[in-house]
Amino acid sequence: MIKHIVLLLWGLSIGLNSQNVRAQKEETNLSDLNKKQIIDSLSKKLEEFYIKPKAIGEISKKLNENLKKGIYKNILLPNEFASKLSADLIEASKDLHFRVMYEPTWVESQQKIKEKETQEKLKAEELIEAKKKNFGFLQVKILEGNIGYLEFNYFEDPAIASETVASVMQFLNNTDALIIDLRKNNGGAMEMGQFISSYFFSNKELPLYKYYYFEEKRKKIEREMWLLPSVPGKRLDTVPIYILTSGGTFSAAEWMSYSLQNLKRVTIVGEKTAGGAHPITRTVLADGFSVNIPFGEVKDPITNMDFEGKGVMPDVLCKSEEAISTAHLLALKNLSQQNKDALNDLDWFAPVVKNRQKPFVVNSELLKSYEGKFGKSELVFEKTNLYFKWNNIITLLLTPLESDLFIVDGTDDYRIKVVVENNSVTAIKRIYRNGQERIYKKD
């Protein structure tokens, strides 16, 4: 089971749900002999697992040359040496998945991994840490226009996270479109990609990934991963889906994006992704060190290709920080084209989305000039903000869309427009979503 879990963890660091949580032994200075032993053990693991056997000789040669030239001589602390080896491995292989780590406690646990007590302890620790991170799920909410938004930053194993996923999907199942934010997602278990993707199709038998990997003594194992025949709760199989990406979107997050893009199920919005397509295994080295090694390849069943070193290209290219607004506007526009009743939603919410991306600024002097009483309503200026006060009971922040048009905090039903005639404020209007207006003259 441990080997199976290792196969399916794809992030910049294997075991995202347990990294940096175990107490580490006090660091001691490394000798040249220690460094030689670590590099020798690394070369052996490359021979055993690395997916590009023709490149192993050059990689090992480069590391040993660096050692002989004294490049590692002044690096004494284990964590610094691990970082330098990681950088050298990536430079030599051009594979972003390589990572050397110094975690003696983890290495010690692997040496006892066959002991039932050790396995249970590791699983318990990993579950505690995963719960603290809510299994990677950071935000789930409904945006203007009934557009769902889901952000998660790594792919947890659904064996422990499926209930959380099901509750998230239940929360989103009445939305008219869905935005999935993978801009800060570094990967994880590809089973999570399979589980989530299965919500986006009717009960179809479709392959998502075909892959192979090497076990010990370079035994080749070939597998395929398909959509699941059933999922808990309602499927979102007719809902338009938009995936947000950045240059930091990596590994399993890239695979889910790439696979769903090739199945014509999603629109990807944002930046080209990092380009890390290879699965990894974590294995023990000498002196408390370990390494993530790319030990397999995955191919898309439709293209028979991957995105290693190239990244996944979005359908709509834009800066990462603009991706959520771009996708939101695109979703509103597409829904309005499909449903004439949604046209008003586009006109009503588009300015709000654009303003959120680039807020409209009104100088304080102008805002202060809007102060006054308008029947039971009042505009009040405090510090740098304008507020709408109703009947001396409720006070709501006004956010400018234009110099005289404001969003009312806490409601989408109406907006406030200041009426200016002959350079004087004469009234305010409540402009409602259905187009109706109510005018309140200044006292």
Side-chain angles (χ1 to χ4, degrees):
M1 180 62 179
I2 294 297
K3 182 65 177 178
H4 180 62
I5 292 173
V6 169
L7 162 66
L8 295 174
L9 292 173
W10 289 47
L12 286 170
S13 168
I14 199 82
L16 283 163
N17 53 345
S18 62
Q19 66 179 2
N20 298 325
V21 300
R22 300 183 181 92
Q24 298 302 306
K25 292 182 179 177
E26 191 174 326
E27 286 192 332
T28 55
N29 289 350
L30 294 172
S31 66
D32 289 342
L33 178 59
N34 292 140
K35 296 169 189 174
K36 180 73 164 63
Q37 290 170 338
I38 294 162
I39 290 173
D40 286 346
S41 64
L42 175 55
S43 296
K44 288 180 181 178
K45 294 300 181 181
L46 291 174
E47 291 283 353
E48 190 171 351
F49 291 109
Y50 188 41
I51 58 171
K52 297 179 180 178
K54 292 181 181 179
I56 294 171
E58 283 299 316
I59 295 173
S60 297
K61 180 182 176 183
K62 178 67 175 175
L63 297 179
N64 280 290
E65 282 179 352
N66 287 351
L67 184 66
K68 289 177 183 178
K69 290 177 181 177
I71 291 175
Y72 304 134
K73 188 172 184 61
N74 294 325
I75 302 175
L76 300 179
L77 295 178
N79 277 318
E80 290 181 13
F81 187 56
S83 296
K84 178 58 176 169
L85 283 181
S86 298
D88 290 347
L89 279 169
I90 292 171
E91 182 181 359
S93 66
K94 310 303 179 190
D95 194 315
L96 298 174
H97 274 107
F98 271 115
R99 186 185 177 201
V100 179
M101 292 151 282
Y102 177 67
E103 282 191 70
T105 307
W106 183 87
V107 170
E108 186 179 336
S109 72
Q110 297 308 296
Q111 293 164 347
K112 299 178 180 179
I113 203 69
K114 291 183 180 179
E115 298 177 9
K116 185 177 179 181
E117 183 180 343
T118 301
Q119 291 182 22
E120 291 176 351
K121 183 180 178 182
L122 284 173
K123 287 181 180 179
E125 289 175 349
E126 290 172 355
L127 181 58
I128 289 169
E129 289 306 310
K131 285 181 176 179
K132 287 180 181 178
K133 299 172 185 176
N134 198 37
F135 305 103
F137 291 88
L138 302 179
Q139 289 192 73
V140 55
K141 58 186 177 181
I142 310 299
L143 302 176
E144 293 89 352
N146 198 32
I147 311 297
Y149 174 82
L150 170 62
E151 180 188 13
F152 58 107
N153 65 354
Y154 76 94
F155 282 51
E156 183 55 84
D157 187 344
I160 61 172
S162 59
E163 288 186 5
T164 299
V165 177
S167 65
V168 164
M169 291 303 173
Q170 182 178 7
F171 178 85
L172 294 166
N173 67 19
N174 292 315
T175 54
D176 294 320
L178 173 61
I179 296 171
I180 301 176
D181 195 342
L182 301 182
R183 289 176 294 177
K184 297 178 183 178
N185 195 304
N186 294 145
M190 67 179 183
E191 285 177 323
M192 179 57 81
Q194 176 194 32
F195 187 44
I196 293 176
S197 295
S198 298
Y199 275 92
F200 305 146
F201 296 86
S202 58
N203 191 7
K204 291 183 178 180
E205 293 185 359
L206 288 173
L208 288 174
Y209 324 108
K210 57 180 181 179
Y211 59 95
Y212 74 86
Y213 59 95
F214 290 113
E215 288 192 336
E216 294 179 359
K217 298 180 181 179
R218 297 198 75 82
K219 180 182 178 183
K220 188 175 183 179
I221 307 295
E222 294 185 276
R223 295 283 187 268
E224 286 190 352
M225 191 169 283
W226 291 57
L227 290 171
L228 299 174
S230 64
V231 291
K234 178 183 172 183
R235 294 177 186 261
L236 284 72
D237 53 305
T238 61
V239 172
I241 298 169
Y242 303 83
I243 291 181
L244 310 185
T245 59
S246 74
T249 305
F250 192 63
S251 201
E254 294 180 274
W255 267 115
M256 190 176 90
S257 304
Y258 186 66
S259 173
L260 293 176
Q261 184 185 52
N262 291 327
L263 288 167
K264 311 296 183 187
R265 184 62 187 90
V266 301
T267 300
I268 300 178
V269 179
E271 298 172 346
K272 185 176 72 170
T273 63
H278 294 154
I280 56 176
T281 186
R282 183 177 182 178
T283 186
V284 172
L285 303 178
D287 297 320
F289 283 73
S290 60
V291 61
N292 288 348
I293 297 179
F295 77 138
E297 282 191 318
V298 185
K299 298 293 182 184
D300 182 86
I302 294 174
T303 65
N304 201 35
M305 296 172 64
D306 64 18
F307 46 83
E308 178 64 30
K310 301 187 291 276
V312 181
M313 184 59 69
D315 301 292
V316 180
L317 196 61
C318 66
K319 292 180 180 179
S320 171
E321 61 270 24
E322 298 173 357
I324 185 168
S325 297
T326 301
H328 194 174
L329 290 169
L330 186 60
L332 289 171
K333 180 180 178 181
N334 289 339
L335 288 172
S336 69
Q337 289 174 346
Q338 296 167 15
N339 179 7
K340 291 183 179 179
D341 292 337
L343 281 172
N344 192 49
D345 278 355
L346 175 63
D347 294 337
W348 185 254
F349 291 125
V352 178
V353 178
K354 291 176 181 177
N355 190 69
R356 187 176 294 131
Q357 181 176 310
K358 188 177 180 181
F360 190 92
V361 178
V362 180
N363 69 64
S364 295
E365 187 178 340
L366 182 58
L367 291 177
K368 186 171 177 57
S369 72
Y370 293 158
E371 282 191 308
K373 292 188 176 182
F374 307 82
K376 292 184 179 181
S377 302
E378 185 177 2
L379 296 186
V380 179
F381 178 80
E382 292 182 8
K383 294 183 179 179
T384 59
N385 294 316
L386 190 66
Y387 294 87
F388 175 68
K389 196 171 184 179
W390 181 79
N391 205 24
N392 256 348
I393 299 173
I394 301 172
T395 301
L396 302 169
L397 175 67
L398 297 179
T399 301
L401 283 176
E402 300 171 8
S403 62
D404 58 356
L405 180 64
F406 299 86
I407 303 168
V408 182
D409 187 43
T411 180
D412 286 329
D413 292 336
Y414 65 90
R415 293 177 186 152
I416 296 295
K417 184 176 178 65
V418 179
V419 180
V420 178
E421 297 175 324
N422 299 321
N423 296 320
S424 297
V425 176
T426 59
I428 60 173
K429 285 183 183 179
R430 277 198 190 194
I431 301 176
Y432 289 86
R433 190 169 163 183
N434 62 7
Q436 292 183 347
E437 297 180 356
R438 289 184 184 176
I439 297 177
Y440 301 87
K441 292 184 178 181
K442 189 173 183 179
D443 293 352

